[in-house]
């Protein structure tokens, strides 16, 4: 039995995600795979990703992994990281590409005319580095993580959810944007828990033990 499958569609630093999960779950069976059958058989699925959204969606489709990811998002604990969050939504401004359409909403580019801090200094895009994450709901994946804990970000786009109730946390850069979503068996984050030291490892550990109520 495979405990956790990390979906390999050729985009993202999968090695660091795998190593972080192996650290918090040393006795678990964790595989990085591009085989849709392995994804289907795994108890839990992680979809990371870095790079351009059009390339990610293209690779996911051409490698035959799209349907396996859609099924995982319906029937097992699912964790999306970075692009793995963005692709859950309907469409992205990056290349005007369609996402998976699992959650209603769009992926937006940080607007140039608002990218100034309180002292009117220009903020850089991509948003890169550590930032506070403000939790908006209670959730098993936040257990043991302080509200306003800092996580590591690297991105130029953010999700705009059509239904605000799916937002599990937000971050300010400089205005608030959704940085985590939760719905049933799905949890997804814009930041990189595998690069976020203790808070990130805690979140990954929580995911590895998470039993969504809808499956109870």
């Amino acid at each position: 039995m495979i405990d956790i499958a990390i979906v390999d569609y050729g985009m993202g630093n999968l090695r660091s995600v795998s190593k972080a999960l192996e650290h918090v779950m040393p006795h678990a069976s964790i595989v990085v795979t591009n085989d849709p059958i392995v994804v289907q058989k795994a108890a839990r699925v992680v979809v990371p990703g870095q790079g351009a959204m059009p390339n990610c969606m293209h690779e996911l489709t051409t490698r035959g992994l799209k349907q396996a990811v859609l099924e995982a998002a319906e029937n097992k604990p699912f964790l999306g990281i970075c692009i793995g969050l963005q692709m859950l939504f309907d469409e992205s401004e990056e290349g005007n590409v369609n996402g998976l359409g699992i959650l209603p909403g769009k992926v937006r580019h940080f607007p140039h005319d608002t990218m100034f801090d309180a002292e009117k200094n220009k903020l850089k895009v991509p948003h890169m580095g550590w930032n506070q994450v403000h939790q908006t709901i209670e959730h098993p994946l936040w257990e043991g993580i302080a509200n306003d804990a800092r996580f590591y970000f690297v991105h130029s786009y953010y999700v705009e959810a059509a239904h605000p109730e799916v937002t599990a946390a937000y971050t300010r850069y400089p205005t608030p944007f959704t940085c985590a979503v939760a719905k049933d068996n799905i949890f997804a984050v814009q930041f990189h828990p595998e690069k976020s030291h203790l808070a990130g490892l805690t979140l990954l550990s929580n995911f590895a033990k998470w039993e969504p109520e809808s499956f109870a």
Side-chain angles (χ1 to χ4, degrees):
M1 178 66 174
I2 297 168
D3 295 310
I4 302 174
I6 302 168
V7 180
D8 177 8
Y9 54 100
M11 308 292 291
N13 187 0
L14 307 181
R15 181 73 172 168
S16 60
V17 176
S18 177
K19 283 296 185 184
L21 283 166
E22 290 168 7
H23 177 77
V24 298
M25 296 292 290
H27 303 297
S29 172
I30 299 167
V31 298
V32 176
T33 182
N34 60 8
D35 186 340
I37 295 176
V38 174
V39 175
Q40 290 169 342
K41 290 182 176 179
R44 301 166 190 274
V45 170
V46 178
V47 180
Q50 290 176 315
M53 179 82 154
N55 295 339
C56 291
M57 290 303 304
H58 174 78
E59 292 298 322
L60 193 73
T61 301
T62 58
R63 293 171 186 243
L65 288 160
K66 181 178 178 180
Q67 187 58 36
V69 169
L70 285 169
E71 291 174 4
E74 288 183 356
N75 60 34
K76 60 189 66 178
F78 180 103
L79 176 63
I81 298 173
C82 196
I83 294 289
L85 161 68
Q86 295 180 9
M87 66 171 51
L88 294 175
F89 288 80
D90 293 321
E91 58 184 304
S92 175
E93 289 183 347
E94 187 175 19
N96 295 316
V97 66
N98 290 332
L100 295 172
I102 294 169
L103 298 175
K106 297 182 178 181
V107 181
R108 304 284 194 188
H109 192 275
F110 282 114
H112 295 290
D113 57 350
T114 65
M115 302 309 294
F116 297 90
D117 65 17
E119 287 73 41
K120 306 301 182 183
N121 297 310
K122 183 68 174 176
L123 295 173
K124 294 181 179 180
V125 177
H127 171 214
M128 184 180 299
W130 296 85
N131 208 336
Q132 287 184 309
V133 168
H134 310 287
Q135 301 167 24
T136 57
I137 64 171
E138 292 186 7
H139 193 280
L141 266 70
W142 293 136
E143 185 177 351
I145 300 173
N147 194 19
D148 302 339
R150 297 172 71 85
F151 288 82
Y152 189 80
F153 290 80
V154 183
H155 64 121
S156 299
Y157 293 79
Y158 64 95
V159 299
E160 183 179 84
H163 302 311
E165 62 269 20
V166 305
T167 297
Y170 70 91
T171 292
R172 295 182 183 274
Y173 192 73
T175 56
F177 68 89
T178 295
C179 67
V181 299
K183 187 175 189 298
D184 300 328
N185 59 299
I186 296 172
F187 197 91
V189 296
Q190 183 62 66
F191 51 81
H192 289 269
E194 77 280 7
K195 298 179 181 178
S196 298
H197 301 331
L198 182 58
L201 291 175
T202 301
L203 188 144
L204 293 175
S205 178
N206 289 340
F207 171 72
K209 298 178 291 186
W210 179 34
E211 298 293 342
E213 290 183 5
S214 57
F215 295 170

